[in-house]
Structures are given as C-alpha cells and as structure tokens.
Amino acid sequence: MAPRLEAHTILGSLVCFPNLYQEISLLQPIAEAEIITGTADVKCYLINILLKNAADEPSEASRCLALCCLGLWLCEELVQCTNHPQVKDVINVLGVTLKVLILKCLGLYERSNGLPSQIFLIMEILVATIAFLLPSAEFSSVENDKKFIVSLLLCLLDWCVALPVKMLLEPVLNSSLEDQHSSKAPLLDYIYRVKRRRRSLELIPLTARMIMAHLVNNLGHYPLNGGPAVLHSLISENHNNSYVESSELSSEVFRSPNLQLFVFNDSTLISYLQIPSEKLVDESARTFSEVRVIVRDISGKYSWDGRLLNGPLTFCHPNQNEREFTDVLHNHKQNFESPADSIQIYEGEDALDELLERIGNSSPECLLRPQLKLSEPSPSPCVMSCDQENDILEAIMQQSCIENEYVHGCNLNLNMKVESQKAPKPAQSQAPFHLCRLLLNDLGMNSWDKRKNFHLLKKNSKLLRELKNLDSRQCRETHKIAVFYIAEGQEDKYSILSNPKGSRAYEDFVAGLGWEVDLSTHCGFMGGLQRNGSTGQTAPYYATSTVEVIFHVSTRMPSDSDDSLTKKVIAQRKVK
C-alpha cells in the first residue's frame, strides 16, 4: 500500500500548480499519446483522478489522502475565485463521504454564482453533518466518533471567525437538530443547541461551550492592542498587589487580605483583588482604590479594572459644582431684573423705608390710605388712647432690653458657645476587601439564588498549582514547523544546517510564512525557541484567534560553532 500512498501524495502536491503556472505540460503514460497543455486541461485531469480514487480506491488510507487532496484543491479554488465547474463535484464527494444528504445544498449551489454563496454552502454542509452524526456519536462508545464531531465543530469555529458577523446571523436551512419546528435558525443558534446537550461535561458539549466563549470574547475584538500574539490577559493576582513582593504567582499571594477567589457555575474561576490607592502629598489629587476582577474560563483568562464612582471624577474640583450653581443664580437674576429695578442704598439711609416708598409709588393699590405712604406710621386705632399706645411701646422696649441682656450673657458663658457646623469628610474604609465586597453585592452574587452557584475557594497549595496550570495552558492550537535551505550539491545535514543565509527565492518564501517577531520580547507561542539568543534573534510567526504557528528557520539560527550546530540539530529534532 505504500506506493499507492506515495502516488497520492505526489498528486496532492500538484493540485495548486495549475493556478500558479498557467502553461504547464502534462505527459500521458502512453508514448504515442498527445501532450496535454493548458491550465484547465491539466487541472481537470488531476481532479478526475482524485475524484475516482476518493470513491473507488480499495485502500482506506489512500482514500483518506485523496479526500485531503480534494479539500486542499477546493480551498485553493475558493481563494482564487476561479468558479471551476468541478467544485460542485468535489463538494458532492466530500459530502457523501461524511454521510450527509446535500441535494438541497447542491440545488442552492446551482442557483448561485458568487463566492459568498459557495462559502455559505460549506457552512450549511458542516451544520448538516454535525446534526446528522451528533445523536449517534453522543452515545457511541468509540472515542473516534466523538473526536470527529469535535474536529467538525473546531472547523466550524474557524469559518465563523473568518466570516463577517452579518453572514453568521443569516438562517441556515436544517431540520435535523432536535427541534423539527425551527428548521430555519442562525448559524450560532445551532452551536448553542449542541452546547446545552444533557451531558454538558462530556467532550462534544464542552467543545461547543468553548466555541461560544471564544466567539463572545474574540469575535470582532481580535487582534488586541498587544498584537496578535496576545489572546488573553497576562495579569495575575500578584501584579499591583502591595501585600506581595514576589514577581511570580506564589503562595505569598494567598496571604493577601485584599484577595479572594471564587468559582461560579462550576465552570468559571473569578479572583477579586482590591488595589489600594496611592498615597499622594496633595489630597485633592489623590486616587481611589480600584477593584480588579480576573476571570478564568474554558476560553482563557481576562482581567477587568473598576472603581466606585459616587460623584465627580478626580479631575473635577470639589467646589466646582457650587460655583456653577452660584453662577446660574447670578445669571438668572440678571435675566429677570432690569437695571431700573435696583435700589441704591447710601450710608445712613433706611433700606426698609426706601423699599416701602418704592412699592407705594409703583403699586398704589398696596396703600392702606391714598394720602399716606407705606413708610409713614399709620394713625392709632380709634379705640386706643395715647396712654394705652405708650404703655404698649414701653412694654415692647422692656422686653427687647431683657432679650438683649440674655443674649449678651449667653455670649459671655463658654458653655453656651458652639462651633460652626461643617460638612463631614468622606469615609475612608480601612478594610482591604471592602470595595470588592460592595461590587459582589452590586452584581447580585450575594443574593440567595446566586449563592448556590457562587462558592468561595480555599487558599491552599492545590489551588496555587491549578492556577499555574491554567495560566500555562495554550488557548489556541499550536504548531512548530522547521524550514531548511538546501543549496545545490548539499546532501549531509551538517552542511545544510551550516547555511547562514539562503537564496532570494528562499527568503521571499520565508517572508510569506508570517511576520518576524523578536524572540526576546515575544509573548506568544515559542515552540521551544529560546529568549537568550541561542536559537536566533527573530523567527517567522503566524497567528489567528484559533491557531499559532512559529517556524524554526535554520538560517535564522547561529551556526558559528559546534555547540550552535548541536543546538540547531536538537531544535530541528524537537520539531519532528
């Protein structure tokens, strides 16, 4: 079977050449046969062989390899937008191999001509395949059946990340997944249905849950400001923690009174850390304490910082609102009071007399008697004699003198004096976890219905080990690939690995693999390369939100000594 596999490998390596080399010759196995030239003829010849072998090849491994070659060719045609007529045949063979009835999809394909419809057809095939195989794979005792569904879900994730959000919200025609009455629903709805299966902790629903979490956190957000190498937060509980001196996550963190760790819904690990405010000389410019929330779930680690705001921000002066209110009143007074309405009072004049006279002149209806001004005393009542009036005035004056003497005596008595009242200063909580407790309460985590799903974790060595294990896990699929330059006439590995540089075509090829990253500061997947320069200063790197690839390029690694060559050989062996 080995020669048949090698023959299919050679055929698969040729499927992309017709688009690259427009005039390529094809030699028939019969000497007298005519030589076929031209891109279309050569392409059809290759695809017809692969289509035949994918359906009729007796060797299972050869059939799988032929299907992989057809998938590679299909991706090439979709990228190049060639609209080749055999694309439909290739999709048909792939669909039948996956045991999916796609006659409706093929009918949609026949009515469409553009590339987006072809892509959407592939999405429908993936959804239909998962819906068809899920009931049997979920209860199957064969592990490969479940892994096959997982691979299809991950493939669907790659398509979801690459497609625009508008296309993800378009309805997908399928009636095989649970609900027969809702056969027309958005693509993301089918992923959610797989996520909520009964066996939520098994491999397939767990993968669907990871896909949903990945899309929520990265769809439309990736790449972040830190670059494509950063997919999740690099912050840990020891950062900005004044109670911890260690630069790494250690048991010292658990002795911090401003840190507590919780688990939510048995699936999300949440750390609440209160960061103390900085002590500044200028009290008006002081900063407030912040609350840091670090979330670890199936899709990665995320960190949020927040603070409690009950009033204006720190850059606002505390008396700014009072000044603004005074200015508003002053403007209001100017708008509704004309200059003629103002009364100028000179020293020695009675303001009340001036006001009463002004009212009497402007509003005569307020006068008690037409000939008597409001500022003049009114005559005594007719029923009161002058002696009675004098007695009343004398009693009033005596009462006024008694009150003045009492007030004067109180002023001399120290026990009667009180200080002027001032507004109390804002309370400064001394509890190191106070703001975190307020945030937990505001988020409803202390409510009775949430308490059964929200639990406090014990701080011990086991938890520390699990935290380090979670932070060391890669959230993306990772690959390391070795790239060699073999000059003409070179046959042994030491001469090949000793090449300090390659040809121009080689360098152009390496430049197309990814972008160069500085290994000393690179925060993504390293693939065994070192930061100390022993394996080179830079390396080509490529990343999406679902995959990371770093390339071990032999010409980038030092080869000036035997030790360098030995390290290069070891590095290339690790890639293999």
Side-chain angles (χ1 to χ4, degrees):
M1 294 301 175
R4 306 184 74 87
L5 285 175
E6 294 174 355
H8 281 97
T9 303
I10 296 174
L11 285 176
S13 65
L14 299 175
V15 294
C16 298
F17 283 175
N19 290 334
L20 183 62
Y21 303 104
Q22 298 298 326
E23 294 296 332
I24 188 172
S25 301
L26 174 65
L27 299 179
Q28 292 285 1
I30 305 175
E32 294 80 8
E34 183 180 354
I35 297 177
I36 299 177
T37 60
T39 303
D41 295 334
V42 174
K43 187 185 299 185
C44 291
Y45 187 80
L46 287 172
I47 298 306
N48 287 332
I49 295 176
L50 292 174
L51 285 172
K52 181 178 181 301
N53 293 341
D56 302 332
E57 177 64 35
S59 172
E60 179 182 355
S62 298
R63 288 199 307 272
C64 292
L65 188 55
L67 289 171
C68 293
C69 296
L70 288 175
L72 180 63
W73 177 82
L74 180 61
C75 294
E76 171 72 13
E77 296 302 306
L78 292 176
V79 170
Q80 300 295 334
C81 302
T82 59
N83 290 325
H84 195 274
Q86 287 184 298
V87 168
K88 181 177 67 174
D89 299 331
V90 172
I91 294 178
N92 190 17
V93 170
L94 294 176
V96 171
T97 306
L98 297 175
K99 303 177 183 179
V100 178
L101 300 177
I102 56 171
L103 295 178
K104 183 183 296 185
C105 298
L106 290 176
L108 292 174
Y109 178 80
E110 292 174 355
R111 294 194 299 270
S112 62
N113 296 319
L115 180 62
S117 298
Q118 298 176 7
I119 293 178
F120 202 70
L121 172 63
I122 296 175
M123 304 290 285
E124 289 185 340
I125 291 176
L126 284 173
V127 171
T129 304
I130 295 172
F132 182 82
L133 298 178
L134 184 59
S136 60
E138 188 176 15
F139 298 96
S140 175
S141 59
V142 181
E143 193 67 21
N144 288 335
D145 293 343
K146 298 179 180 180
K147 291 182 178 180
F148 180 64
I149 298 295
V150 169
S151 63
L152 290 178
L153 287 171
L154 295 177
C155 180
L156 190 62
L157 171 62
D158 290 331
W159 279 102
C160 290
V161 172
L163 293 179
V165 178
K166 182 180 179 181
M167 184 171 290
L168 298 180
L169 299 178
E170 293 183 5
V172 177
L173 299 177
N174 179 61
S175 59
S176 303
L177 197 60
E178 289 188 353
D179 192 358
Q180 299 291 334
H181 300 284
S182 59
S183 60
K184 195 174 184 180
L187 173 65
L188 298 180
D189 186 67
Y190 290 105
I191 303 177
Y192 178 74
R193 294 186 192 184
V194 177
K195 170 190 170 184
R196 66 177 186 178
R197 305 289 288 191
R198 291 188 302 273
R199 303 184 177 185
S200 58
L201 296 180
E202 289 195 354
L203 182 60
I204 297 175
L206 199 63
T207 304
R209 192 172 70 186
M210 184 275 296
I211 292 174
M212 293 298 295
H214 183 91
L215 292 176
V216 168
N217 290 298
N218 298 290
L219 189 62
H221 304 156
Y222 180 84
L224 305 176
N225 294 333
V230 178
L231 186 64
H232 54 78
S233 175
L234 303 178
I235 300 296
S236 296
E237 285 77 4
N238 59 300
H239 294 142
N240 303 115
N241 192 344
S242 58
Y243 295 92
V244 178
E245 297 181 356
S246 175
S247 59
E248 297 181 354
L249 195 61
S250 62
S251 59
E252 184 183 6
V253 173
F254 291 160
R255 293 191 290 270
S256 303
N258 59 335
L259 172 68
Q260 293 294 343
L261 294 97
F262 303 86
V263 61
F264 182 62
N265 283 339
D266 294 331
S267 61
T268 304
L269 185 65
I270 306 177
S271 300
Y272 284 87
L273 174 67
Q274 182 168 323
I275 303 175
S277 59
E278 299 178 0
K279 295 182 179 180
L280 302 177
V281 178
D282 187 7
E283 281 294 327
S284 62
R286 65 182 180 86
T287 60
F288 297 93
S289 297
E290 293 184 350
V291 175
R292 175 168 295 170
V293 182
I294 303 176
V295 181
R296 295 176 175 90
D297 61 8
I298 194 173
S299 64
K301 181 171 68 171
Y302 310 95
S303 178
W304 297 84
D305 282 356
R307 63 176 52 174
L308 181 64
L309 296 179
N310 288 326
L313 300 178
T314 54
F315 57 82
C316 294
H317 195 274
N319 296 328
Q320 181 176 354
N321 293 340
E322 181 179 353
R323 291 200 305 268
E324 292 178 353
F325 181 72
T326 305
D327 294 340
V328 170
L329 291 180
H330 180 69
N331 295 334
H332 180 77
K333 181 178 179 182
Q334 289 183 342
N335 292 335
F336 291 92
E337 186 179 272
S338 62
D341 294 335
S342 61
I343 302 175
Q344 295 183 358
I345 305 300
Y346 298 98
E347 185 178 359
E349 295 184 354
D350 191 351
L352 180 59
D353 287 345
E354 293 292 336
L355 178 61
L356 292 175
E357 184 178 358
R358 180 71 180 178
I359 293 175
N361 294 333
S362 60
S363 304
E365 66 275 8
C366 296
L367 297 176
L368 298 177
R369 292 177 176 82
Q371 303 300 329
L372 187 64
K373 297 180 180 181
L374 291 177
S375 58
E376 295 179 359
S378 60
S380 302
C382 57
V383 297
M384 182 181 296
S385 63
C386 293
D387 295 337
Q388 290 176 335
E389 183 179 1
N390 292 332
D391 292 341
I392 293 174
L393 291 176
E394 184 179 358
I396 293 175
M397 295 301 295
Q398 290 179 357
Q399 181 66 28
S400 177
C401 291
I402 294 174
E403 292 178 355
N404 290 335
E405 290 177 359
Y406 180 79
V407 171
H408 181 68
C410 291
N411 291 335
L412 296 178
N413 188 359
L414 298 179
N415 296 327
M416 298 295 293
K417 289 186 177 181
V418 289
E419 297 181 356
S420 59
Q421 295 293 328
K422 296 181 180 180
K425 295 182 179 180
Q428 298 293 332
S429 175
Q430 302 298 326
F433 198 71
H434 174 69
L435 293 181
C436 294
R437 181 175 57 81
L438 290 179
L439 179 60
L440 285 171
N441 184 71
D442 293 340
L443 295 178
M445 295 302 178
N446 290 335
S447 60
W448 288 109
D449 55 339
K450 292 289 183 64
R451 288 295 296 271
K452 59 183 179 181
N453 298 323
F454 192 72
H455 306 285
L456 181 67
L457 294 177
K458 294 182 179 179
K459 302 175 183 178
N460 50 34
S461 58
K462 182 179 179 181
L463 177 59
L464 178 62
R465 184 171 63 252
E466 293 300 330
L467 287 177
K468 291 183 176 181
N469 183 33
L470 286 174
D471 293 345
S472 63
R473 292 290 183 92
Q474 298 291 337
C475 298
R476 290 179 280 188
E477 182 182 355
T478 57
H479 300 278
K480 48 186 178 180
I481 301 174
V483 181
F484 302 94
Y485 174 70
I486 304 176
E488 185 176 359
Q490 291 183 336
E491 295 182 356
D492 61 288
K493 63 181 180 180
Y494 285 99
S495 60
I496 294 173
L497 294 176
S498 299
N499 290 325
K501 61 180 181 179
S503 63
R504 178 62 182 274
Y506 168 81
E507 295 296 336
D508 292 341
F509 169 75
V510 172
L513 296 176
W515 50 89
E516 292 287 332
V517 294
D518 187 354
L519 295 178
S520 61
T521 58
H522 180 56
C523 56
F525 177 62
M526 295 291 291
L529 297 179
Q530 303 299 318
R531 302 184 186 276
N532 56 12
S534 61
T535 55
Q537 302 297 328
T538 63
Y541 172 80
Y542 177 80
T544 65
S545 65
T546 59
V547 67
E548 282 185 287
V549 183
I550 195 163
F551 297 90
H552 292 213
V553 183
S554 61
T555 55
R556 297 283 196 278
M557 301 180 181
S559 56
D560 51 357
S561 63
D562 294 339
D563 183 56
S564 299
L565 284 176
T566 303
K567 289 184 178 180
K568 188 183 293 189
V569 172
I570 295 175
Q572 303 302 331
R573 286 177 179 174
K574 287 183 178 180
V575 173
K576 295 177 183 179

